[in-house]
Amino acid sequence: MTDLATELGATLSNPRRVGLTALAVVVGVALATLHPLGLVAGGALVALPQRSLPRGLLAGVLFGGVVLAVFLVDLAAAGAAGGFLRFGLPRNVAIATGFGLPTFGALARGLR
Amino acid sequence: MTSDTTRRALLSAVLGAGVGGMALSDAREVLADFAPLSGSLWDAEGRAIEGDVESPYGPASVAYDDRGVPHVTAADERAAYYAVGYVQAADRLFEMDLLRRVMRGTLSEVVGDVAVNSDRFNRQMDFARAAEVTWERASDGPTAPASEAFAEGVNAYRETAARPVEFELLDYDADPWTPVDSILAQKQISWGLTGSFATLRRAAVGDAFDRETAEALYPLPDASNHDAPILRSDDREPNPPGGTDGRAISAATGGSGDPVDPGLVSWLEAFEPPEGIGSNSWVVGGEYTASGDPVLANDPHLDLRVPPIWYEQHVVVEGERDVRGVTFPGVPFVVIGRNDAGAWGFTNTGYDVIDFYTYETRNDGREYRDGDEWREFLTREETIPVADGEDVAVQVEKSVHGAVLSRGSDGDSLSGTTGRVGVQWSGLSATRTVESIYEIGRSTGVDDVLDALPKFDEPTQNFVYADRDGRTLFYTTGKVPIRTTDGNPVAGTRVFDGSAREGEWEGFEPYAATDWATANVVPFDEKPHSVDPGYLATANQRIVDDPAHYLSEGYAPPFRGARIYERLDERADSGEPMTAEFLRDLQLDAVDRRVDHLEPLLEDARSEVAGDAREALDAVLAWDGETSTDRREPLVFAFWARKLGERVFDARFEDAGLDVNTPNDWVLGRLPADSEWFVPEDGSDPDRGVVAARALRDALEAIEAAGYETYGDYSTTALTHPFDQGFLNYPEYATDGSPTTVNNFRPESMRGSSWRQVVPVGNDAPDAAAVLPGGNDGDPLSANYADQLEDWATGEFREFSLAVPDDVDVEFTEGDGE
């Protein structure tokens, strides 16, 4: 927890980084609605402004959480959130890819 | 510097390989289906219907209730049925498409070679042509505008909304829906209720053993072997006058002389109504009820599956129709249900509306003799496309009687007659059942219904009805042929020599429009019926003692029918009124009278067992027959009865080369104590007690191996989607009942009450209740996917009124529907 708080604090202390990260989240979510590889691209986008590869990877994980939150809200609006939560294997695949692909994409931070 | 370069190169390689792998491998399809936000499976919003939809037929509104039942309201009938088509497609499009693929023989095209046999059979029967001629006849009739509007509504949804989950997983789109497809749905259920190969089965058993044995194991119905008919001697009009003495006709059995290929029978059994397809219904007149109004109950026993076989809908056409009930997805009109004037239901009669013919052939089997003439079989070759496999050719043949069936891989040269058989079935002709159903939905009482029923050409059914004026009705439906040989009526209990023109159906036109007014069928007035019975119950049992015509070659065992009458009689004799609550409880009655029927065998086994087995046996002997989930006795009894049947019949049938359905427990319990069928496994002299005791040992071993403790461990719902994937299947619940209780449930084959309704028919119809085994919406993401299943399993009901919810979910407005 402490590490997570520290990482978040370090990120949020830099307004420019916050702005770039926020923009990356918005663009990343938009890309994720278009194609599964948008999750990879989104992970890469949110990772790139971070100070290090580990922070980039953390940003990728958090981005995955944002994607899943948006996803659940979208399902709930269509009356399908309950159905999703009962949906077994596909639910698990969605959650795994929701976290996994952005984290994978965040490896791009290592290219800087 | 070098390490940075290496790191970048390594990460670049990993990222490139990962993205490339996802884009180019099978993972791409998984991601396209399941990825959050973009995965096609999650497009619930695209599949949900709400807001405004244009309709070429003008305004209509749809309000879904909390069980997902659409309540459709319109001023114009076509507008209403356009909306009905739209909502059925929204909720059940895949099921509709699957059903028509089965009947058209195009299932392999999407599911692969597992469906080739099914496709071959359905093409040989050519149900598609039978549906086409039925629609040709109906297309200028009263149902046509609504049927066409329904099809347009289905297509409007299909063309504009997101694909249902199953289409995404199989990656194909449904073809346009047509009124013929709706007729196919009706043909499918008709076949499922009347397409019996019992004649062939009896013939094959007769060939393997002897005729007497065949008739003992598969007895023809008469009063001596079935003591609980629907129409009892004190019913009004139990035996309509006229016609010929059916008993005399039914005695005319015997083979045509041509042996029947047991392999053909075994193959065909996969396509006939499976054991357990049956139903209960009863109607109770106002003199027996608390309210003074009649009450009607019905629970059809069909496949329990995902989604349910029935779809519930409520349609209000202002000033013309207010009907709620269930239909088969793809069929526009309510089949079982209620309207503002009455309520109705169906059970299967077991009438014989199918016959089989062999022929003298020549020219390598391409020609057959028809009396004094030689004719060529009408033959065409069709191709069955197979997903991920080679196309399969099938030869479709027809004779003057109808379809010609063979189990040959491609219908190629067939020597002799035993490998193929001509089939005449009433549903192969153009029928008017949809018109009858349409009129029943609009009926205002018994008189209207009596006008509509003569057009209910198929399937043969026990129809029960009650109206708000206090009238009640029982009538059997469907066209029952009067088959003749040399002009004399004969029973349809044997394979006919088609070349000798035995068993002719005069006036019947397969794959064409039969003139039912002149065809030689049992006249409507002479079919068993009862107008204004006090109370009357049907459970697929024998219908009447002395039918005026030959009607059937076999009914369901009488266990359920006798139990229903037992409880109705007790209640009537007590003077206590029959409330809706009592009649709902009767639908859930789980007392298995089969244990009384088989008790002599249990008694005989008693001296042959000891220890734990003796204790288990004594417990079953002391048991009251209640098949409740918390008891152990029904568990032991169910396994014992099954093992007993296997011990008595299986080995000898196998030795005789017969792989066909063996006799039921009613027959088993009626075999004489010294019957040669009770041969112990060591081949010693027949000994019923020894065989029954060994069956008990088998049962206890099987129970232990399965790890069962109580009946509920075994009697559990396991309803599966056609894909049989855990995320699409329903959750499991323990439930009371057995194959021979009123609360009918077959855990081995997942069949049972596919819909339960109990409807008091007063002017305000209070306390009407119903329940589905599952949910009304076939979308697994829907809250209504399985929301009624637990209620169904535990015996709960929910309201079944004609009230329309206030909140409208979909408004159909005037437009071109594009």
Side-chain angles (χ1 to χ4, degrees):
Chain A
M1 265 320 271
T2 306
D3 289 345
L4 180 61
T6 305
E7 293 292 337
L8 277 173
T11 300
L12 295 173
S13 65
N14 184 333
R16 184 166 174 272
R17 183 171 292 135
V18 169
L20 284 172
T21 303
L23 180 62
V25 168
V26 172
V27 174
V29 169
L31 291 174
T33 62
L34 299 176
H35 195 277
L37 292 179
L39 291 165
V40 179
L45 287 175
V46 298
L48 286 172
Q50 312 311 320
R51 285 198 302 173
S52 65
L53 177 59
R55 290 182 181 181
L57 291 173
L58 177 62
V61 173
L62 294 173
F63 172 72
V66 171
V67 165
L68 288 170
V70 172
F71 175 54
L72 274 174
V73 169
D74 187 43
L75 286 174
F84 169 75
L85 294 175
R86 292 190 305 269
F87 215 21
L89 179 65
R91 173 201 61 208
N92 298 340
V93 172
I95 292 172
T97 54
F99 281 117
L101 295 188
T103 307
F104 177 73
L107 287 172
R109 173 61 184 79
L111 299 176
R112 256 179 66 186
Chain B
M1 191 65 173
T2 305
S3 68
D4 281 352
T5 304
T6 304
R7 171 173 53 85
R8 286 178 182 134
L10 185 63
L11 285 174
S12 296
V14 169
L15 282 166
V19 172
M22 282 183 259
L24 301 174
S25 71
D26 291 345
R28 181 182 59 173
E29 292 175 16
V30 174
L31 291 173
D33 286 337
F34 299 117
L37 292 179
S38 68
S40 54
L41 242 61
W42 311 122
D43 192 6
E45 194 175 352
R47 292 195 298 274
I49 61 166
E50 53 189 9
D52 293 339
V53 176
E54 287 189 357
S55 164
Y57 300 109
S61 64
V62 178
Y64 280 99
D65 63 25
D66 59 2
R67 293 298 189 179
V69 178
H71 300 256
V72 177
T73 304
D76 177 85
E77 187 169 62
R78 290 178 303 170
Y81 281 97
Y82 185 88
V84 170
Y86 198 89
V87 296
Q88 279 200 18
D91 293 336
R92 300 292 189 91
L93 184 60
F94 178 70
E95 193 183 8
M96 291 162 64
D97 188 63
L98 199 65
L99 183 150
R100 69 173 162 174
R101 282 188 174 277
V102 168
M103 293 301 279
R104 289 186 182 280
T106 59
L107 194 55
S108 306
E109 188 175 15
V110 293
V111 304
D113 59 9
V114 295
V116 165
N117 266 337
S118 166
D119 283 349
R120 178 184 294 121
F121 171 78
N122 286 290
R123 284 171 187 254
Q124 286 184 353
M125 285 297 295
D126 203 359
F127 292 117
R129 181 61 192 151
E132 285 167 8
V133 297
T134 297
W135 173 244
E136 284 165 13
R137 180 176 213 156
S139 58
D140 57 357
T143 66
S147 297
E148 288 167 339
F150 173 89
E152 290 178 62
V154 172
N155 289 323
Y157 176 83
R158 186 186 60 82
E159 290 162 5
T160 57
R163 295 193 295 192
V165 167
E166 295 91 342
F167 291 94
E168 290 294 344
L169 292 172
L170 288 174
D171 194 24
Y172 82 97
D173 291 308
D175 291 332
W177 191 262
T178 69
V180 174
D181 294 324
S182 295
I183 301 287
L184 270 176
Q186 184 243 311
K187 292 284 182 190
Q188 194 226 21
I189 196 67
S190 294
W191 174 260
L193 293 167
T194 63
S196 166
F197 295 113
T199 306
L200 294 178
R201 187 163 33 250
R202 187 183 292 109
V205 172
D207 292 340
F209 298 109
D210 54 63
R211 197 174 115 191
E212 290 69 28
T213 299
E215 291 183 4
L217 298 184
Y218 303 90
L220 299 169
D222 65 48
S224 73
N225 65 20
H226 199 316
D227 59 0
I230 293 172
L231 288 169
R232 303 187 293 181
S233 56
D234 54 351
D235 286 311
R236 279 169 255 181
E237 294 190 76
N239 297 306
T244 317
D245 186 337
R247 287 176 301 169
I249 295 172
S250 65
T253 59
S256 66
D258 292 316
V260 172
D261 176 9
L264 174 68
V265 183
S266 174
W267 185 73
L268 290 173
E269 278 187 341
F271 311 111
E272 72 174 336
E275 193 180 3
I277 298 297
S279 311
N280 304 319
S281 71
W282 50 87
V283 59
V284 178
E287 62 265 44
Y288 294 98
T289 67
S291 65
D293 294 321
V295 182
L296 183 134
N298 185 205
D299 58 298
H301 308 158
L302 300 170
D303 285 339
L304 302 175
R305 62 192 190 199
V306 181
I309 200 167
W310 296 103
Y311 180 77
E312 186 178 354
Q313 62 187 35
H314 179 197
V315 183
V316 181
V317 179
E318 290 157 15
E320 288 185 47
R321 177 194 299 263
D322 186 351
V323 58
R324 177 174 183 175
V326 287
T327 185
F328 301 103
V331 175
F333 310 111
V334 165
V335 176
I336 291 174
R338 58 171 304 196
N339 64 10
D340 47 345
W344 59 93
F346 294 96
T347 63
N348 210 15
T349 59
Y351 283 173
D352 185 357
V353 295
I354 187 168
D355 279 331
F356 304 92
Y357 302 84
T358 57
Y359 304 100
E360 181 184 341
T361 61
R362 70 179 187 187
N363 198 8
D364 290 333
R366 287 196 292 272
E367 295 179 35
Y368 65 102
R369 186 169 68 82
D370 175 26
D372 297 332
E373 299 177 60
W374 284 90
R375 298 176 185 269
E376 280 198 15
F377 288 107
L378 293 176
T379 304
R380 69 172 187 269
E381 187 161 289
E382 297 187 0
T383 301
I384 302 173
V386 181
D388 302 322
E390 296 287 321
D391 288 355
V392 173
V394 58
Q395 194 148 313
V396 178
E397 287 185 303
K398 292 174 184 170
S399 71
V400 291
H401 295 109
V404 176
L405 301 181
S406 76
R407 64 172 177 143
S409 60
D410 54 5
D412 57 357
S413 62
L414 295 155
S415 57
T417 55
T418 58
R420 65 178 168 182
V421 64
V423 179
Q424 188 155 231
W425 175 58
S426 60
L428 293 181
S429 186
T431 51
R432 302 162 296 172
T433 300
V434 172
E435 189 175 333
S436 180
I437 285 289
Y438 172 87
E439 291 178 4
I440 290 168
R442 295 164 63 104
S443 63
T444 60
V446 161
D447 291 339
D448 279 0
V449 166
L450 283 170
D451 287 342
L453 285 179
K455 283 174 275 195
F456 200 108
D457 297 327
E458 57 155 349
T460 46
Q461 294 281 284
N462 298 306
F463 176 81
V464 290
Y465 178 80
D467 73 17
R468 64 186 168 199
D469 297 326
R471 305 286 307 277
T472 56
L473 178 71
F474 161 78
Y475 225 109
T476 57
T477 72
K479 294 293 181 282
V480 184
I482 298 175
R483 49 279 267 180
T484 57
T485 299
D486 297 330
N488 299 312
V490 293
T493 52
R494 64 185 181 85
V495 179
F496 292 120
D497 181 343
S499 291
R501 292 188 168 169
E502 291 179 348
E504 293 293 288
W505 296 15
E506 193 179 318
F508 177 77
E509 298 282 345
Y511 307 108
T514 293
D515 180 355
W516 295 113
T518 60
N520 195 14
V521 297
V522 174
F524 182 73
D525 292 346
E526 295 175 16
K527 285 195 275 195
H529 63 271
S530 183
V531 179
D532 293 321
Y535 59 87
L536 181 146
T538 83
N540 319 113
Q541 76 271 46
R542 190 168 58 81
I543 292 171
V544 65
D545 280 339
D546 299 299
H549 300 269
Y550 164 74
L551 295 173
S552 171
E553 61 180 325
Y555 296 107
F559 301 116
R560 286 182 289 115
R563 175 63 179 167
I564 295 167
Y565 267 133
E566 178 187 339
R567 288 200 55 185
L568 290 174
D569 290 345
E570 279 176 4
R571 186 80 169 195
D573 291 345
S574 75
E576 195 176 352
M578 299 197 200
T579 60
E581 184 182 10
F582 165 73
L583 295 170
R584 289 197 297 271
D585 184 65
L586 178 52
Q587 271 192 342
L588 303 171
D589 186 285
V591 171
D592 197 336
R593 286 289 183 242
R594 194 172 37 144
V595 69
D596 302 331
H597 187 64
L598 297 177
E599 186 177 351
L601 287 88
L602 287 165
E603 294 282 7
D604 284 0
R606 198 165 180 274
S607 60
E608 305 289 335
V609 295
D612 291 347
R614 176 72 167 266
E615 281 183 30
L617 179 61
D618 285 343
V620 172
L621 280 168
W623 172 52
D624 60 4
E626 188 79 45
T627 55
S628 49
T629 54
D630 58 344
R631 303 282 294 273
R632 183 169 173 82
E633 296 90 335
L635 177 68
V636 174
F637 175 72
F639 273 71
W640 171 75
R642 175 151 56 89
K643 295 295 182 184
L644 180 64
E646 291 171 5
R647 282 214 167 252
V648 172
F649 297 119
D650 282 15
R652 290 190 61 189
F653 269 56
E654 193 175 319
D655 290 345
L658 290 170
D659 179 21
V660 300
N661 294 338
T662 51
N664 59 36
D665 289 342
W666 175 252
V667 171
L668 180 57
R670 288 174 53 83
L671 291 175
D674 59 351
S675 167
E676 60 167 349
W677 287 92
F678 294 115
V679 178
E681 60 190 337
D682 61 7
S684 55
D685 291 342
D687 189 323
R688 189 167 73 168
V690 168
V691 175
R694 291 188 177 164
L696 181 63
R697 184 192 63 197
D698 296 344
L700 295 175
E701 287 174 358
I703 289 168
E704 187 177 352
Y708 297 149
E709 293 292 335
T710 64
Y711 191 60
D713 296 333
Y714 160 71
S715 181
T716 303
T717 66
L719 278 64
T720 57
H721 184 276
F723 293 177
D724 198 12
Q725 295 293 316
F727 59 91
L728 293 171
N729 296 341
Y730 283 162
E732 297 185 2
Y733 300 99
T735 189
D736 295 348
S738 85
T740 43
T741 59
V742 179
N743 182 357
N744 192 256
F745 180 61
R746 292 174 182 261
E748 303 287 342
S749 56
M750 276 309 128
R751 297 194 177 89
S753 298
S754 59
W755 163 254
R756 293 187 186 123
Q757 70 170 34
V758 177
V759 185
V761 191
N763 285 324
D764 52 356
D767 216 8
V771 69
L772 268 179
N776 213 37
D777 193 341
D779 184 347
L781 289 177
S782 165
N784 301 118
Y785 186 60
D787 59 327
Q788 299 180 54
L789 183 60
E790 187 172 10
D791 283 349
W792 178 91
T794 55
E796 299 293 324
F797 290 76
R798 41 94 182 156
E799 63 80 24
F800 184 55
S801 76
L802 294 178
V804 176
D806 293 333
D807 295 333
V808 172
D809 294 290
V810 194
E811 284 283 4
F812 288 81
T813 55
E814 186 80 43
D816 58 11
E818 297 296 324

